[in-house]
């Protein structure tokens, strides 16, 4: 061995002896319980006896405590005796790991001039306490079952809700765009159906007025139907109007007054004349013109 290598080795041994003497005895770190549950707090005590003239620092919340997580730490007052000073800290930690045995060693930092030296205790271990008993762990037995199970129909409520919303939006949009046109067409259909029904019933009474035995009854029914039809179409109480009041509603109808007086004489006098059917015809044509007028009002309404 060369002389230079021998000098290097001797210098290394001397440095190790000096560092060991400067750092003093190793700290003592241990868990205060032998077992721990996943997610439950566990306490770790760390103490260090040192020269009273030295500054000592313990790990704080920023230190890496893996595999544990830091919760809090409790300091104890420094105890100084002729043998030196003793500092102690109890850490409350928690672990979410599932290893059966978990290890930890926390250092103590001793300041030497402008730098700090980390001194580690021996590794302390804690056992993970299983929540399952050994007797509860059994080998599963697989069984074959090939029978089909029929499931009942289930309502897809989210989809149904979306469909209802879509229908409401579509309905609102359609009403905004085509609502007035649809309502107008519906009114025209209803107006046409009522007029068609009126024409059919009125024609039956019109033919019956030609029979002398039933003339009075058919004329009375025809006039009542005519007034009721106009009342519903125009919104005016024609069924309660007198002949004069009815004529006033149709000022330009020259033959209306004579027709109404003729049918009134049949209803109240009980005697039909050859002019009766002509009078009923005038009333029917007047109802037709009123229908056409009402239809134009609906079509031209904005």
């Amino acid at each position: 061995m060369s002389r230079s290598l021998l000098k290097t080795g001797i210098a290394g041994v001397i440095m190790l002896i000096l560092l060991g003497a400067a750092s003093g005895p190793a700290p003592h770190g241990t868990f205060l319980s032998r077992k721990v549950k996943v997610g439950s707090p566990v306490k770790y005590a760390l103490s260090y006896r040192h020269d009273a003239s030295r500054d000592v620092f313990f790990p704080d919340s920023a230190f890496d405590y893996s595999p544990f997580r830091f919760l809090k730490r409790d300091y104890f007052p420094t105890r100084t005796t002729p043998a030196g000073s003793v500092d102690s800290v109890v850490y409350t930690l928690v672990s979410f790991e599932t290893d059966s045995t978990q290890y930890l060693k926390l250092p103590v930092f001793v300041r030497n001039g402008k730098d700090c030296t980390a001194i580690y205790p021996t590794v302390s271990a804690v056992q993970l306490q299983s929540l399952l008993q050994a007797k509860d762990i059994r080998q599963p037995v697989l069984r074959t079952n090939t029978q089909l199970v029929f499931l009942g129909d289930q309502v897809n409520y989210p989809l149904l809700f979306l469909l209802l919303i879509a229908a409401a939006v579509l309905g609102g949009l359609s009403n905004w765009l085509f609502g007035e046109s649809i309502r107008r067409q519906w009114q025209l259909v209803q107006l046409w159906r009522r007029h068609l029904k009126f024409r059919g019933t009125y024609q039956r009474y019109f033919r019956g007025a030609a029979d002398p035995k039933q003339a009075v009854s058919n004329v009375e029914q025809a006039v009542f139907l005519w007034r009721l039809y106009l009342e519903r179409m125009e919104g005016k109480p024609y069924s309660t109007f007198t002949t004069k009041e009815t004529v006033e509603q149709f000022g330009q109808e020259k033959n209306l007054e004579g027709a109404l007086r003729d049918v009134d004489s049949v209803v109240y006098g009980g005697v039909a004349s050859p002019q009766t059917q002509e009078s009923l015809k005038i009333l029917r044509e007047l109802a037709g013109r009123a229908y056409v007028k009402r239809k134009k009002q609906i079509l031209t309404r904005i």
Side-chain angles (χ1 to χ4, degrees):
M1 179 181 295
S2 64
R3 181 176 295 179
S4 60
L5 291 175
L6 181 60
K7 289 181 178 180
T8 303
I10 294 173
V13 172
I14 293 174
M15 288 297 294
L16 290 174
I17 293 173
L18 291 176
L19 288 174
S23 60
H28 178 71
T30 183
F31 285 102
L32 299 184
S33 58
R34 298 178 59 186
K35 294 184 179 182
V36 63
K37 296 180 181 179
V38 175
S40 297
V42 61
K43 294 186 181 298
Y44 177 87
L46 180 62
S47 62
Y48 182 56
R49 181 183 296 275
H50 58 91
D51 189 345
S53 62
R54 293 184 178 275
D55 292 328
V56 177
F57 304 97
F58 287 81
D60 58 8
S61 59
F63 190 78
D64 183 10
Y65 295 87
S66 300
F68 297 89
R69 297 184 185 180
F70 176 84
L71 292 181
K72 68 174 183 175
R73 60 179 180 172
D74 298 312
Y75 285 99
F76 292 88
T78 301
R79 292 178 296 157
T80 302
T81 63
S85 298
V86 177
D87 287 295
S88 302
V89 179
V90 175
Y91 293 89
T92 303
L93 309 174
V94 64
S95 175
F96 297 97
E97 304 295 331
T98 57
D99 298 334
S100 59
T101 303
Q102 300 183 21
Y103 304 92
L104 181 67
K105 62 175 180 178
L106 297 181
V108 173
F109 300 95
V110 180
R111 188 171 68 177
N112 296 312
K114 297 181 180 181
D115 197 4
C116 289
T117 302
I119 306 176
Y120 286 87
T122 57
V123 178
S124 181
V126 66
Q127 300 293 324
L128 181 67
Q129 182 178 350
S130 177
L131 299 179
L132 296 177
Q133 302 296 330
K135 63 180 180 180
D136 295 332
I137 304 176
R138 301 175 182 176
Q139 186 67 23
V141 179
L142 301 180
R143 296 181 181 179
T144 303
N145 186 356
T146 59
Q147 295 182 355
L148 297 178
V149 178
F150 294 95
L151 301 178
D153 296 335
Q154 295 183 350
V155 179
N156 191 341
Y157 288 103
L159 179 59
L160 179 61
F161 182 69
L162 291 177
L163 290 177
L164 291 176
I165 293 179
V169 172
L170 183 61
L173 185 61
S174 299
N175 182 69
W176 180 62
L177 293 175
F178 312 107
E180 183 62 29
S181 177
I182 293 174
R183 285 190 291 270
R184 184 184 295 115
Q185 292 300 322
W186 176 244
Q187 289 179 347
L188 290 174
V189 170
Q190 289 184 312
L191 184 67
W192 173 77
R193 291 178 60 183
R194 287 196 295 266
H195 183 70
L196 194 64
K197 183 178 180 181
F198 163 76
R199 294 273 302 192
T201 307
Y202 190 86
Q203 187 64 23
R204 186 171 65 252
Y205 294 144
F206 178 80
R207 290 194 300 266
D211 185 359
K213 296 181 180 180
Q214 300 180 357
V216 177
S217 176
N218 282 281
V219 170
E220 182 178 5
Q221 293 294 334
V223 174
F224 177 77
L225 177 65
W226 178 80
R227 288 180 178 274
L228 194 64
Y229 172 71
L230 293 178
E231 180 176 303
R232 186 173 184 183
M233 183 169 55
E234 297 186 2
K236 299 177 181 180
Y238 283 99
S239 58
T240 61
F241 281 173
T242 62
T243 298
K244 182 179 180 181
E245 291 173 337
T246 304
V247 172
E248 290 175 353
Q249 299 297 321
F250 301 92
Q252 298 179 355
E253 298 293 338
K254 299 179 180 181
N255 299 326
L256 177 59
E257 184 175 2
L260 287 176
R261 294 189 182 281
D262 181 63
V263 295
D264 285 346
S265 63
V266 175
V267 172
Y268 298 109
V271 178
S273 66
Q275 185 65 25
T276 301
Q277 280 196 311
E278 185 65 26
S279 299
L280 292 176
K281 185 177 179 180
I282 292 173
L283 297 182
R284 183 183 63 188
E285 293 174 352
L286 177 60
R289 290 193 294 273
Y291 162 74
V292 174
K293 180 181 178 182
R294 179 58 181 163
K295 182 178 179 180
K296 290 181 178 179
Q297 290 176 349
I298 295 175
L299 289 173
T300 56
R301 185 180 59 191
I302 299 178

